[in-house]
Amino acid sequence: MESPFEVLGITPDADDGEIVDAYRERVKEAHPDQGGSAAEFQTVKTAYERLQNGYEPGDPLPEETAEPEAEEAPPEPDDPMVEFLNFEVLEDHGWALEDEDLFAKAADANLQSTDFGRFYVDPNDTLLEAAEKNGFAWPFACRGGACTNCAVAVVDGEMPSPASHILPPELTEKGIRLSCIAAPVSDDAKIVYNLKHLPEVSELLLPASRFEQASSTD
């Protein structure tokens, strides 16, 4: 069985930053929506979790068990499931946030997996953290609710907004949330991310260069 370091393609002396960078790269490659498989995706996640839990070179690994003749589909998690859509594709298709059938139209439009898809949100993870764990590079800057770079629109479902953040009441009333500090609490949610071109949101953006390791989409 490969060690967690081998799975992520890093050396045993890799620091925390190198481990996170390697995980983000490998989990993108392994994601079923990117040409990988569920088994490979789980192997990458397990390797990262072992390193986060203090795995050291030479520590014993669980013995591999023989694969079953027919692979059974894993049970659906009990965690919230988020269906997401990239705001940037709305203009291309003549859609609007207010469209009642927005996600139905997106499902029929053969969009790229980075623009439309779904993932589960693990307990205690923010929406942004869940997106990153699933291999998606969503916009962000401060990670602390001090800007709108990570803003999303909650089209369906419940995603409470913490008390401390930069969003004015008129935006929260419209369902705008900051993915870096909020997470869905309903079983299912429909989210439109990458709202930087929405006028009310763009006024509160900050340059990602002000923050270390910030990421944003073009």
Side-chain angles (χ1 to χ4, degrees), residues 88-193:
E88 288 192 342
V89 307
L90 270 63
E91 184 175 356
D92 295 338
H93 293 270
W95 303 337
L97 275 175
E98 297 76 19
D99 294 349
E100 292 186 3
D101 58 347
L102 177 60
F103 277 75
K105 290 188 289 191
D108 293 333
N110 194 30
L111 298 174
Q112 294 185 5
S113 59
T114 52
D115 291 328
F116 176 71
R118 61 184 61 184
F119 56 77
Y120 289 93
V121 180
D122 292 335
N124 302 317
D125 278 352
T126 65
L127 179 63
L128 178 61
E129 290 170 337
E132 291 174 336
K133 280 186 176 182
N134 283 275
F136 300 109
W138 287 11
F140 74 87
C142 72
R143 285 190 181 272
C147 68
T148 57
N149 294 51
C150 71
V152 300
V154 181
V155 175
D156 188 39
E158 297 180 22
M159 195 163 102
S161 187
S164 180
H165 58 76
I166 198 172
L167 290 175
E170 56 267 27
L171 286 186
T172 58
E173 290 171 4
K174 292 181 179 180
I176 306 300
R177 300 289 186 269
L178 300 180
S179 63
C180 71
I181 58 173
V185 296
S186 52
D187 291 340
D188 302 290
K190 289 182 172 62
I191 305 292
V192 176
Y193 79 98

Side-chain angles (χ1 to χ4, degrees), residues 23-72:
Y23 167 70
R24 288 179 177 172
E25 186 64 29
R26 284 287 293 115
V27 83
K28 291 178 189 177
E29 299 170 350
H31 198 280
D33 290 339
Q34 302 295 324
S37 66
E40 183 184 8
F41 183 75
Q42 186 58 50
T43 296
V44 173
K45 288 191 67 176
T46 299
Y48 177 70
E49 290 167 359
R50 283 178 178 151
L51 292 178
Q52 291 294 97
N53 290 329
Y55 176 88
E56 296 289 345
D59 286 353
L61 292 169
E63 293 185 6
E64 291 184 283
T65 57
E67 294 186 4
E69 293 183 2
E71 184 177 335
E72 296 183 2

